Amino acid sequence: MPTTKTSRSRVPAAARVQRPQEGTAERREAILRAAMKVFATRGFHSASLVEIAEEVGMTHSGVIHHFGNKEQLLVAVLAFRDDDDVVTFEDHKAPKGAAFLEHLILTAKQNAERPGIIQGYTVLSAESVTDGHPAQEYFRERFVGLRDMLTDALRIVTEDDLPASTLDEAASAIIATMDGLQVQWLLDANAVDMPVSLRMAINGVLRELHAMRQDAASE
Amino acid sequence: MPTTKTSRSRVPAAARVQRPQEGTAERREAILRAAMKVFATRGFHSASLVEIAEEVGMTHSGVIHHFGNKEQLLVAVLAFRDDDDVVTFEDHKAPKGAAFLEHLILTAKQNAERPGIIQGYTVLSAESVTDGHPAQEYFRERFVGLRDMLTDALRIVTEDDLPASTLDEAASAIIATMDGLQVQWLLDANAVDMPVSLRMAINGVLRELHAMRQDAASE
């Protein structure tokens, strides 16, 4: 947040607000939800802080006060989304092995009930490959994390019988299927059944890995 | 193209140009290639006609003269891309059955040599789900066409033994894998081997369909 000459803005936001702490947290959350909605419908570059502010009945400078600028707001939106995410990172209570794969299919099913979140994820992840996009590092790390989680699950399911590179390739394919199905589904929800197609891909990849193990065993 | 009061602009562009027809075609192609590059690096909404014009050493109004406006230029870029595309629509010489699936894997391999085209496709297809995006209809129809081609190929491979809905679900999964791998690869080319992961998904889906046929036969 840029510093200004008024004493008011040198005081941390939390100390300044007279209402209970919950008020600020709720206000911030309302801005994050509005920002996700506007980023999803316009994309990051076309989204305006004015429109986000209007969504929550706030001024542009009110949003700036809470989040600094549009780039910082995007980073906050992505971090916020993770808390809400069915595929949680670094969740040591995450299901393991085959149960993790089932969890992904359940996620695809739940995703069909939350098109706004899915649209935001789809638009921002693809937009992040454009030059200098502020979410590029976020999504690069997100995919590293997802691949690791899936590789672990596949290692358990295949009983540590296959090379890490093979498990990585399988993990990339499964994550890709989830993401690619979202684009098709957002364009034409009636044409695509995300959980059914994802289950087909996951079952298929497991069959392929199983065949590779048998080939390796018979050599 | 908007009409103006000068007699010059009421004459069709082709009749007006004194150079041979090739000159106009080459100029248009240069603009389309520049536009694809700028759309890929900025996204459609953030791309400016001025930047596209600068790429080809032309004025903004020169680009307008050839393509009307940014929306029309995008539509022309997408149509142009298809001519250049490895996955060609309505190509009656397209390989059939298992050969079509091999063709997709070859395409994924060739795609790794043309990051600019892949970035354009990835950014524009995901951006097309945003409200009122001018490429929405294009991508919706593109996916319908791709699913049909893949469903046909899978029908041949599975000897017409499975319901159309199952083949559709499998086709969606395979297309999704191709598209999703591109996002991961654009963010981190060393982390993803597109043709290897795609082959794993395709082989896997074929194994799953084969198992479904066996289940159906033994019932």
Side-chain angles (χ1 to χ4, degrees):
Chain A
M1 194 169 62
T3 56
T4 74
K5 289 200 176 80
T6 69
S7 65
R8 187 169 190 273
S9 44
R10 271 193 235 109
V11 183
R16 203 157 69 223
V17 174
Q18 296 305 309
R19 288 161 300 163
Q21 197 66 24
E22 289 75 15
T24 303
E26 282 160 11
R27 183 62 63 100
R28 284 177 63 92
E29 186 168 330
I31 297 171
L32 291 171
R33 291 193 187 280
M36 190 53 168
K37 183 177 162 191
V38 175
F39 289 149
T41 51
R42 304 242 178 271
F44 171 74
H45 288 305
S46 303
S48 86
L49 290 181
V50 171
E51 185 174 355
I52 292 166
E54 278 172 4
E55 275 279 326
V56 281
M58 199 182 266
T59 61
H60 172 259
S61 59
V63 173
I64 296 282
H65 163 73
H66 283 285
F67 291 100
N69 60 33
K70 198 167 80 163
E71 279 74 16
Q72 289 171 287
L73 178 56
L74 174 63
V75 171
V77 164
L78 293 169
F80 174 69
R81 187 188 172 271
D82 275 356
D83 294 338
D84 223 26
D85 202 349
V86 193
V87 179
T88 42
F89 285 128
E90 301 166 306
D91 180 358
H92 299 296
K93 286 179 284 183
K96 302 287 179 210
F100 182 72
L101 301 174
E102 280 302 319
H103 176 72
L104 290 183
I105 295 166
L106 178 65
T107 301
K109 193 171 176 162
Q110 290 171 337
N111 282 346
E113 305 298 320
R114 44 182 209 157
I117 300 274
I118 294 318
Q119 185 166 329
Y121 172 82
T122 297
V123 171
L124 292 172
S125 62
E127 208 181 26
S128 81
V129 310
T130 57
D131 293 4
H133 195 284
Q136 204 166 93
E137 198 51 37
Y138 172 86
F139 281 108
R140 193 176 288 126
E141 283 172 14
R142 181 179 163 85
F143 283 119
V144 169
L146 277 171
R147 275 192 295 263
D148 281 353
M149 290 174 79
L150 248 169
T151 301
D152 283 348
L154 295 172
R155 181 176 295 116
I156 293 169
V157 172
T158 57
E159 297 174 313
D160 224 345
D161 245 3
L162 291 168
S165 59
T166 300
L167 301 178
D168 271 350
E169 288 149 10
S172 291
I174 291 171
I175 297 164
T177 311
M178 283 190 88
D179 290 342
L181 284 170
Q182 291 177 1
V183 179
Q184 293 178 55
W185 177 75
L186 286 165
L187 284 168
D188 197 349
N190 293 321
V192 182
D193 189 325
M194 293 194 290
V196 169
S197 283
L198 180 62
R199 183 179 291 284
M200 199 178 281
I202 288 177
N203 286 352
V205 166
L206 291 178
R207 286 185 193 278
E208 179 71 1
L209 294 177
H210 183 63
M212 285 177 175
R213 289 174 73 191
Q214 288 186 316
D215 286 354
S218 67
E219 260 167 22
Chain B
M1 193 170 63
T3 57
T4 74
K5 289 200 178 80
T6 69
S7 65
R8 187 170 189 273
S9 43
R10 269 192 235 109
V11 183
R16 204 158 67 222
V17 173
Q18 296 305 309
R19 288 162 301 163
Q21 197 67 24
E22 289 75 14
T24 303
E26 283 160 10
R27 183 61 63 99
R28 284 176 63 92
E29 186 167 329
I31 297 171
L32 291 171
R33 291 193 186 280
M36 190 54 168
K37 183 177 163 192
V38 175
F39 289 149
T41 50
R42 303 242 178 272
F44 171 75
H45 288 306
S46 303
S48 86
L49 289 182
V50 171
E51 185 174 355
I52 292 165
E54 279 171 4
E55 274 279 324
V56 282
M58 199 182 265
T59 61
H60 173 258
S61 59
V63 173
I64 297 282
H65 163 74
H66 282 284
F67 291 99
N69 59 33
K70 198 168 80 163
E71 279 73 16
Q72 289 171 288
L73 178 57
L74 174 63
V75 170
V77 163
L78 293 170
F80 173 69
R81 186 186 173 271
D82 275 356
D83 293 338
D84 224 25
D85 202 349
V86 194
V87 180
T88 42
F89 285 130
E90 301 165 308
D91 179 359
H92 299 296
K93 285 179 284 183
K96 302 286 179 209
F100 182 72
L101 302 173
E102 280 302 319
H103 176 72
L104 289 183
I105 295 166
L106 178 64
T107 301
K109 193 171 175 160
Q110 290 170 337
N111 282 347
E113 305 297 321
R114 44 182 209 158
I117 299 274
I118 294 318
Q119 185 166 331
Y121 173 82
T122 297
V123 171
L124 292 171
S125 62
E127 209 181 25
S128 80
V129 310
T130 57
D131 293 4
H133 194 285
Q136 204 166 94
E137 198 51 36
Y138 171 86
F139 281 107
R140 193 176 287 126
E141 283 172 15
R142 182 180 163 87
F143 282 120
V144 169
L146 277 171
R147 277 192 294 263
D148 281 353
M149 289 174 80
L150 247 169
T151 301
D152 283 349
L154 295 172
R155 181 176 293 115
I156 293 169
V157 172
T158 57
E159 298 174 313
D160 223 344
D161 245 5
L162 291 168
S165 59
T166 300
L167 300 178
D168 271 351
E169 288 150 10
S172 291
I174 291 171
I175 296 164
T177 311
M178 283 190 87
D179 290 343
L181 284 170
Q182 291 176 2
V183 179
Q184 293 178 56
W185 178 75
L186 286 165
L187 284 168
D188 197 349
N190 293 323
V192 181
D193 189 325
M194 293 195 289
V196 169
S197 283
L198 180 62
R199 183 179 292 283
M200 199 178 279
I202 288 177
N203 285 353
V205 166
L206 290 178
R207 286 185 193 278
E208 179 71 1
L209 294 177
H210 184 64
M212 285 178 176
R213 290 174 72 191
Q214 288 186 315
D215 285 353
S218 67
E219 259 167 22

